[in-house]
Amino acid sequence: IWAAAAKSKAQTLGDFFNVEIIALPNFLYEKERFNEQVALLRQRFIHSISPGGLVGDRKDVQPASGFPLRVEQIWKTIKENKDLDLPALEVMVATFRCEQIAKEKLSSLKLDGTWLAMSKALKSGPVSEFGKKLSSILESYLSQYDKEAMDYEESIRKDKQQRLETEALQFVYPAYAAMLQHLRSTALKSFKTRLEKTVKEKRGDGFEESVDNCGWFGMLEFERGCEVNVKDRLRGDIETLKSNKKAEYKVEITALPHYEFQEEKFKEQVARLRQRFVHSIYPGGLVGDRQEVEPASGFPLRAEEIWKTIKDNGDLDLPAVKVTVATVRCEEIAGEKLKCFTFDEEAVQAGPVSGFGGAVSSILETYLSE
């Protein structure tokens, strides 16, 4: 154990511990001698810093009477060193317990009987009221989390709840995608059937109009299938995020003419849009309606003021640039590599794959080495 411990320099176990083995007489056959030896050993504990005691040979050993002063000095050192000063106990307890409760609920969700049955059924076709059932399952576990974590710090409780919800949605996403694939296939078949029927009947509508009409009906059918889907929940989260971010972002959709058939009008509108970027802070520009918007010429002074505010506020002062850059870049690289590694569910369902383990190991090693 000592050999495996991290040490700043060459140190021996004896620098920190006295290792002694004490042999005692047998308790059953030499009870009197056993009691005598135990009494002697007890005295070595009681008078531990005296000669012959357990730490009698140690330097800088202090008697118990000096303990309060020693503790005061230790506490002073902790308060002066931010690396040693721990957060409040209630914060640590709330963090630990809320994480624990969230993990329990996520594990229970993964083993939920209704969920497992739905996942199995999705392999052969769409599931009736999929979104309604899945939303009910998610709400059940989120409400359980709320009930068990309600007595802990509110900000921490909500943060862990948000993380639980995100992880739960990520977990159910493959099933959600499979359900959408079923709906898409159904809508596509419906589109083909309707279009073939329209063409055979030779209705007065032109071919393009027939395609548009059939496509519209197909999309309508697809959207109806999605109405009670988890898609609504994801949309709701996005809308909530937009409403909370109105102060930071301006969301605008600009429709442009078709590039091939209306090239001249397209170029004119793009030129106007470009001017809105170039003159962004003027009326009609991208942020022309914002308050306290400053021209680019005032950026150096503004940046200096921001930097001063950050340096004066310990909560805003960021870590070293190399740490920040390393964190952001490593997360980006890891995210890119994970996206490249995709799981083909259909291939696995079709049957066993020869050399599967070796192939997967090779793929994983490639991305990890990259």
Side-chain angles (χ1 to χ4, degrees), residues 74-132:
I74 292 171
W75 187 248
K76 186 172 181 290
T77 303
I78 289 172
K79 295 302 289 182
E80 290 174 353
N81 189 330
K82 289 185 178 180
D83 294 332
L84 297 175
D85 196 8
L86 301 173
L89 181 62
E90 61 181 6
V91 174
M92 290 192 290
V93 171
T95 302
F96 176 78
R97 279 295 296 133
C98 289
E99 281 185 356
Q100 202 172 42
I101 295 167
K103 285 179 182 177
E104 288 171 4
K105 297 309 157 196
L106 189 61
S107 298
S108 299
L109 167 64
K110 292 179 180 179
L111 298 173
D112 185 88
T114 307
W115 160 252
L116 292 174
M118 286 169 58
S119 300
K120 187 177 179 181
L122 270 172
K123 292 177 181 178
S124 56
V127 175
S128 175
E129 296 186 328
F130 173 81
K132 186 178 179 181

Side-chain angles (χ1 to χ4, degrees), residues 295-334:
S297 58
F299 177 74
L301 181 61
R302 182 65 175 157
E304 191 175 327
E305 290 173 356
I306 293 171
W307 184 247
K308 186 175 182 298
T309 304
I310 291 172
K311 297 304 289 182
D312 291 344
N313 190 331
D315 295 332
L316 296 175
D317 201 3
L318 301 172
V321 174
K322 62 180 181 181
V323 175
T324 308
V325 171
T327 303
V328 172
R329 279 299 297 133
C330 289
E331 284 185 355
E332 281 181 356
I333 294 167

Side-chain angles (χ1 to χ4, degrees), residues 202-216:
K202 297 181 180 179
R203 292 179 183 172
D205 300 337
F207 180 74
E208 278 189 31
E209 191 172 346
S210 299
V211 170
D212 287 341
N213 289 336
C214 294
W216 183 83

Side-chain angles (χ1 to χ4, degrees), residues 88-338:
L89 181 62
E90 61 181 6
V91 174
M92 290 192 290
V93 171
T95 302
F96 176 78
R97 279 295 296 133
C98 289
E99 281 185 356
Q100 202 172 42
I101 295 167
K103 285 179 182 177
E104 288 171 4
K105 297 309 157 196
L106 189 61
S107 298
S108 299
L109 167 64
K110 292 179 180 179
L111 298 173
D112 185 88
T114 307
W115 160 252
L116 292 174
M118 286 169 58
S119 300
K120 187 177 179 181
L122 270 172
K123 292 177 181 178
S124 56
V127 175
S128 175
E129 296 186 328
F130 173 81
K132 186 178 179 181
K133 292 175 182 176
L134 183 52
S135 295
S136 175
I137 294 170
L138 291 171
E139 288 300 333
S140 172
Y141 287 107
L142 288 171
S143 62
Q144 287 177 31
Y145 168 87
D146 284 337
K147 188 176 180 181
E148 293 182 33
M150 65 184 297
D151 294 327
Y152 296 105
E153 181 74 25
E154 184 179 5
S155 60
I156 295 170
R157 185 181 78 241
K158 288 184 176 179
D159 178 62
K160 301 304 176 185
Q161 184 203 42
Q162 185 65 44
R163 190 171 298 179
L164 169 62
E165 187 172 353
T166 301
E167 290 180 2
L169 287 172
Q170 287 174 346
F171 170 69
V172 302
Y173 181 79
Y176 160 71
M179 181 64 183
L180 287 185
Q181 183 62 32
H182 287 310
L183 293 173
R184 174 185 173 277
S185 299
T186 303
L188 186 60
K189 285 178 184 176
S190 175
F191 167 77
K192 289 179 178 177
T193 304
R194 188 176 281 107
L195 183 61
E196 286 173 2
K197 186 179 179 182
T198 304
V199 171
K200 284 178 182 178
E201 291 176 356
K202 297 181 180 179
R203 292 179 183 172
D205 300 337
F207 180 74
E208 278 189 31
E209 191 172 346
S210 299
V211 170
D212 287 341
N213 289 336
C214 294
W216 183 83
F217 279 111
M219 289 301 297
L220 183 62
E221 191 174 342
F222 177 79
E223 287 295 335
R224 280 175 180 167
C226 295
E227 277 179 5
V228 290
N229 219 299
V230 185
K231 186 176 181 181
D232 291 335
R233 185 181 187 87
L234 297 175
R235 278 177 174 169
D237 291 342
I238 293 167
E239 290 303 320
T240 303
L241 180 63
K242 282 182 182 177
S243 64
N244 291 338
K245 291 292 181 183
K246 281 182 180 176
E248 285 82 13
Y249 303 102
K250 183 176 181 179
V251 181
E252 201 176 306
I253 297 172
T254 301
L256 295 174
H258 196 285
Y259 176 73
E260 292 182 2
F261 305 116
Q262 295 175 289
E263 186 174 352
E264 192 172 337
K265 283 187 69 181
F266 174 86
K267 288 181 178 179
E268 286 176 6
Q269 296 227 13
V270 167
R272 287 178 193 166
L273 190 59
R274 185 183 292 114
Q275 291 304 308
R276 295 190 64 198
F277 278 90
V278 175
H279 305 291
S280 58
I281 67 170
Y282 293 100
L286 289 178
V287 292
D289 58 340
R290 291 296 172 97
Q291 297 176 352
E292 300 180 358
V293 175
E294 298 180 4
S297 58
F299 177 74
L301 181 61
R302 182 65 175 157
E304 191 175 327
E305 290 173 356
I306 293 171
W307 184 247
K308 186 175 182 298
T309 304
I310 291 172
K311 297 304 289 182
D312 291 344
N313 190 331
D315 295 332
L316 296 175
D317 201 3
L318 301 172
V321 174
K322 62 180 181 181
V323 175
T324 308
V325 171
T327 303
V328 172
R329 279 299 297 133
C330 289
E331 284 185 355
E332 281 181 356
I333 294 167
E336 288 167 6
K337 299 307 161 192
L338 190 60

Side-chain angles (χ1 to χ4, degrees), residues 342-354:
T342 56
F343 181 76
D344 189 345
E345 191 175 358
E346 291 182 3
V348 176
Q349 289 173 5
V353 178
S354 176

